[in-house]
Amino acid sequence: MGQTERDVAQIESILATKPKFDVYCDESCHLENDGQRAMVLGAVWCSSLGAAGHAREFRALKVKHGLNPKFEIKWTKVSESKIDFYLALLEKFFGESDLHFRALLVPDKEKLDHPAHGQSHDDWYYKMHFQMLKFLISPSAKYRIFIDVKDDWGGAKVKLLHKILSNNMYDYERSVIDSIQIVRSHEFELLQMADLMIGAVSYVARGLHGNRGKLRLVEFIRRQTGYSLTRSTLYREEKFNIMRWSPWEKEIKL
């Protein structure tokens, strides 16, 4: 075996032993003219090896609380009648060291000035995805990213997001971000959990308080984390991390 072949074999061996993670991304109020000032992008992530087991445990909780195992966990479905179920979900999340959450909170989209930065709302949206994901991605690991299907998502947008994320971390060989896939949330419990956590952050950011069940979940998360859900957490907070973004953050290049 020549030197080049040995080098290639060594690189392949390193890549094969990289820890692998699955990242489940969702969003709330991300459209430019949706009448909502606050926007939240977020993700739940865990080891690829643990993902299926976590999903089974979430489905088991559904059955335990008298729900169909295909019942979709969603923030919009939270009510007092199902509060025990949703609290059990959060207890599972915070009790499992392999599960993590990261959110990027934009408190006021009306302060955005896209023309001043020579960008469209879509351009800025991609930049925010990078800002949200860059904290949890390490060059020493490998990631699969799953995004909830939306009417405005398509193959071209996913390819562009993959390119932006990879290029901004100099991952030109795609050895860090292995794939980005559009999936349907009703098939992925961990994506449903991302919706639930994002919903809680968005509920607080929009100053809502009319649903007692949702308020109980917000208070539970506050007690578990010690955070208000309105401000940035410690930067290296790994369990429950929030970045409150402002228009004066340093721009990144597309």
Side-chain angles (χ1 to χ4, degrees), residues 12 14 130 229 237:
E12 290 178 343
I14 292 172
F130 173 75
L229 310 192
E237 173 64 62

Side-chain angles (χ1 to χ4, degrees), residues 18 40 71 85-86 106 110 116 120 123 127 137 157 161 169 171 175 188-190 217 219 221 228 236 245 251:
K18 274 188 170 185
V40 182
F71 174 83
F85 166 65
Y86 281 104
V106 179
E110 293 185 5
S120 67
D123 293 336
K127 293 176 182 180
I137 293 176
K157 280 196 170 186
L161 178 59
M169 59 186 80
D171 179 30
S175 63
F188 291 84
E189 273 76 15
L190 291 171
L217 295 190
E219 290 307 313
I221 294 172
S228 67
R236 298 305 302 178
W245 183 87
E251 286 287 316

